[in-house]
Amino acid sequence: MILHQCEVVEIRPLTDFVQSVKLKPAQPFAFTAGQYIELILSESDKRAFSIANSPVDNQYIELQIGGSVHDDYTSAAIQHLQENKQVTIAGPSGDAGLRANKNQPIILMAGGTGFSYARSIALTLLANQFAAPVYLYWGLRNQAAAYELEFWQQHNSEQFKFIPVIENPNDDWSGRTGNVIDAVLADFPSMQNYQVYSAGRFEMVGKARKAFLNQGLNKDNIFADAFAFMDLD
């Protein structure tokens, strides 16, 4: 396990329940888009969070930490960051990062703050002018949980599509609604020639994998950190 000392540069709210955290490593920090770090609260307490920025711009490490005050996992992490100007992280970790030298179309699918994982990959693909089409799906319970919508909508093009999917929209929402997995399945009757990167609750990621494989996706072309902790058939 490689440890890094970081300065806490900024903590700012993105929504009522999501905080953006910017860390400045004391030494250069190399990682692959889609990896995560562990925030060391104590010798026996390490909390994992996806890196939200791209390795193309790695002067800082950005985290997007979401959860209510009743969620001890995230609230204790935020408290630690607020109370310490210098923190220790371990990493980078994870085997679900962006694969090099792949020119297949890519589907990024995230639920909630699993968006950090997809965000890092999406920013990297945009910076590198990835040749194949990219589809970024973000599933959210309601519009209040959404942030950066305008930023990603500005990047919509023939090659890059941003598709937010709201489960319980307000009357003024004109975008996609319902379940994000169902939205992907509806848009891709055959997933045979795609790569998929997925993040969110383990239950959601597992359900998505099963559904996508049934729709023709090659099991070697779907990636998620959750798979390391699941029994896969």
Coordinates of all heavy atoms in Angstrom, one line a residue, residues 8 11 19 21 23 37-41 45-49 63 65-66 68 71-84 87:
V8 N -5.3 19.6 2.2 CA -6.7 19.8 2.0 C -6.8 21.3 1.5 O -6.7 22.2 2.3 CB -7.6 19.6 3.2 CG1 -9.1 19.8 2.8 CG2 -7.4 18.2 3.7
I11 N -12.9 22.5 0.3 CA -14.1 21.7 0.5 C -15.3 22.6 0.2 O -15.5 23.6 0.9 CB -14.3 21.1 1.9 CG1 -13.0 20.3 2.3 CG2 -15.5 20.3 2.1 CD1 -13.0 19.8 3.8
Q19 N -20.3 16.9 -1.3 CA -19.2 17.9 -1.1 C -18.1 17.6 -2.1 O -17.7 16.4 -2.4 CB -18.6 17.8 0.3 CG -19.5 18.0 1.4 CD -19.9 19.5 1.6 OE1 -19.1 20.4 1.3 NE2 -21.2 19.7 1.9
V21 N -14.2 17.9 -2.8 CA -13.0 18.0 -2.0 C -11.8 18.0 -2.9 O -11.6 17.2 -3.8 CB -12.8 16.8 -1.0 CG1 -11.5 16.8 -0.3 CG2 -14.0 16.7 0.0
L23 N -7.7 17.9 -3.0 CA -6.5 17.6 -2.3 C -5.2 17.9 -3.2 O -5.3 17.6 -4.4 CB -6.4 16.2 -1.9 CG -7.6 15.6 -1.1 CD1 -7.5 14.1 -0.8 CD2 -7.8 16.4 0.2
I37 N -9.0 6.2 -4.3 CA -8.1 6.3 -3.2 C -8.8 5.9 -2.0 O -10.0 5.8 -1.9 CB -7.5 7.7 -3.1 CG1 -8.6 8.8 -2.8 CG2 -6.7 8.1 -4.3 CD1 -8.9 9.1 -1.4
E38 N -8.0 5.6 -0.9 CA -8.5 5.4 0.4 C -8.0 6.5 1.3 O -6.8 6.8 1.4 CB -8.1 4.1 1.0 CG -8.7 2.9 0.2 CD -8.1 1.6 0.7 OE1 -6.9 1.3 0.6 OE2 -8.9 0.8 1.3
L39 N -9.0 7.2 2.0 CA -8.7 8.2 2.9 C -8.4 7.6 4.3 O -9.2 6.8 4.8 CB -9.8 9.2 3.1 CG -9.7 10.3 4.1 CD1 -8.6 11.3 3.6 CD2 -11.0 11.1 4.2
I40 N -7.2 7.8 4.8 CA -6.8 7.2 6.1 C -7.3 8.0 7.3 O -6.7 9.1 7.5 CB -5.2 7.0 6.1 CG1 -4.7 6.3 4.9 CG2 -4.9 6.2 7.4 CD1 -5.2 5.0 4.6
L41 N -8.3 7.5 7.9 CA -8.8 8.2 9.1 C -7.9 7.8 10.4 O -7.7 8.5 11.3 CB -10.2 7.9 9.4 CG -11.2 8.8 8.7 CD1 -11.1 8.8 7.2 CD2 -12.7 8.5 9.1
D45 N -8.8 2.4 10.0 CA -10.0 3.0 9.4 C -9.6 3.7 8.1 O -9.1 4.8 8.1 CB -10.7 4.0 10.3 CG -12.1 4.4 9.9 OD1 -12.4 4.1 8.7 OD2 -12.8 5.0 10.7
K46 N -9.9 3.0 7.0 CA -9.6 3.6 5.6 C -10.9 3.6 4.8 O -11.7 2.6 4.8 CB -8.6 2.7 4.9 CG -7.3 2.5 5.7 CD -6.4 1.4 5.0 CE -5.2 1.1 5.8 NZ -5.5 0.5 7.1
R47 N -11.2 4.7 4.2 CA -12.5 4.9 3.5 C -12.2 5.2 2.0 O -11.5 6.2 1.7 CB -13.3 6.0 4.2 CG -13.4 5.7 5.7 CD -14.6 6.2 6.3 NE -14.6 5.8 7.7 CZ -15.6 6.0 8.6 NH1 -16.7 6.5 8.1 NH2 -15.6 5.5 9.8
A48 N -12.8 4.4 1.1 CA -12.5 4.5 -0.3 C -13.5 5.5 -1.0 O -14.7 5.5 -0.7 CB -12.7 3.1 -0.9
F49 N -12.9 6.3 -1.9 CA -13.6 7.2 -2.7 C -13.0 7.3 -4.1 O -11.8 7.4 -4.2 CB -13.6 8.6 -2.1 CG -14.3 8.7 -0.7 CD1 -13.5 8.7 0.4 CD2 -15.6 8.7 -0.6 CE1 -14.1 8.8 1.7 CE2 -16.2 8.7 0.7 CZ -15.4 8.8 1.8
L63 N -12.3 14.7 -5.1 CA -13.2 13.8 -4.7 C -14.6 14.4 -4.6 O -14.7 15.6 -4.4 CB -12.9 13.2 -3.3 CG -11.5 12.8 -3.1 CD1 -11.3 12.4 -1.6 CD2 -11.1 11.6 -4.0
I65 N -17.8 13.6 -2.5 CA -18.2 12.8 -1.4 C -19.7 13.1 -1.1 O -20.0 14.2 -0.7 CB -17.3 12.9 -0.2 CG1 -15.9 12.6 -0.5 CG2 -17.8 12.1 1.0 CD1 -14.9 12.8 0.6
G66 N -20.6 12.1 -1.2 CA -22.0 12.3 -1.0 C -22.5 11.4 0.1 O -22.1 10.3 0.4
S68 N -25.8 11.7 3.6 CA -26.4 12.5 4.6 C -25.6 12.5 5.9 O -24.7 11.8 6.0 CB -27.9 12.0 4.9 OG -27.8 10.8 5.6
D71 N -25.2 9.3 7.5 CA -24.3 8.3 6.9 C -22.9 8.4 7.5 O -22.1 9.3 7.1 CB -24.3 8.5 5.4 CG -23.4 7.5 4.6 OD1 -22.7 6.7 5.3 OD2 -23.3 7.6 3.4
D72 N -22.6 7.6 8.4 CA -21.3 7.7 9.1 C -20.1 7.5 8.2 O -19.1 8.2 8.4 CB -21.2 6.7 10.3 CG -19.9 6.8 11.0 OD1 -19.7 7.8 11.7 OD2 -19.1 5.8 11.0
Y73 N -20.2 6.7 7.2 CA -19.1 6.5 6.3 C -18.6 7.8 5.7 O -17.4 8.0 5.7 CB -19.5 5.5 5.2 CG -18.3 5.0 4.4 CD1 -17.7 3.8 4.7 CD2 -17.9 5.6 3.3 CE1 -16.6 3.3 4.0 CE2 -16.9 5.2 2.5 CZ -16.2 4.0 2.9 OH -15.1 3.6 2.1
T74 N -19.5 8.5 5.2 CA -19.1 9.8 4.5 C -19.0 10.9 5.5 O -18.1 11.8 5.3 CB -20.1 10.1 3.4 OG1 -21.4 10.2 3.9 CG2 -20.1 9.1 2.3
S75 N -19.8 11.0 6.5 CA -19.8 12.2 7.4 C -18.5 12.2 8.2 O -17.9 13.2 8.5 CB -21.0 12.2 8.3 OG -21.1 11.0 9.1
A76 N -18.0 11.0 8.6 CA -16.8 10.9 9.3 C -15.6 11.3 8.4 O -14.6 11.9 8.9 CB -16.6 9.5 9.9
A77 N -15.7 10.9 7.2 CA -14.6 11.3 6.2 C -14.6 12.8 6.0 O -13.5 13.5 6.1 CB -14.8 10.6 4.9
I78 N -15.7 13.5 5.9 CA -15.8 14.9 5.7 C -15.3 15.6 7.0 O -14.6 16.6 6.9 CB -17.2 15.4 5.4 CG1 -17.6 14.9 3.9 CG2 -17.4 16.9 5.5 CD1 -16.8 15.6 2.8
Q79 N -15.7 15.1 8.1 CA -15.2 15.7 9.4 C -13.7 15.6 9.5 O -13.1 16.6 9.9 CB -15.9 15.0 10.6 CG -15.5 15.6 11.9 CD -16.2 14.9 13.1 OE1 -17.1 14.1 12.9 NE2 -15.8 15.3 14.3
H80 N -13.2 14.5 9.1 CA -11.7 14.3 9.2 C -11.0 15.4 8.2 O -10.0 16.0 8.6 CB -11.3 12.9 8.7 CG -9.9 12.6 8.7 ND1 -9.2 12.3 9.9 CD2 -9.0 12.6 7.7 CE1 -7.9 12.1 9.6 NE2 -7.8 12.3 8.2
L81 N -11.6 15.5 7.1 CA -11.0 16.5 6.1 C -11.1 17.9 6.6 O -10.2 18.8 6.4 CB -11.7 16.3 4.7 CG -11.4 15.0 4.0 CD1 -12.4 14.7 3.0 CD2 -10.0 15.1 3.3
Q82 N -12.2 18.2 7.2 CA -12.5 19.6 7.8 C -11.5 19.9 8.9 O -11.1 21.1 9.1 CB -13.9 19.8 8.2 CG -14.9 19.8 7.0 CD -16.3 19.7 7.5 OE1 -16.7 19.2 8.5 NE2 -17.2 20.3 6.6
E83 N -11.2 18.9 9.7 CA -10.4 19.1 10.9 C -8.9 19.0 10.7 O -8.1 19.3 11.6 CB -10.9 18.1 12.0 CG -12.3 18.3 12.5 CD -12.7 17.3 13.5 OE1 -12.0 16.3 13.7 OE2 -13.8 17.5 14.1
N84 N -8.5 18.6 9.5 CA -7.0 18.4 9.3 C -6.6 19.1 8.0 O -7.2 18.8 6.9 CB -6.7 16.9 9.2 CG -7.0 16.2 10.5 OD1 -6.1 16.1 11.3 ND2 -8.1 15.6 10.6
V87 N -3.7 15.4 5.2 CA -4.3 14.1 5.4 C -3.5 13.1 4.6 O -2.7 13.5 3.8 CB -5.8 14.1 4.9 CG1 -6.7 15.0 5.7 CG2 -5.8 14.4 3.4

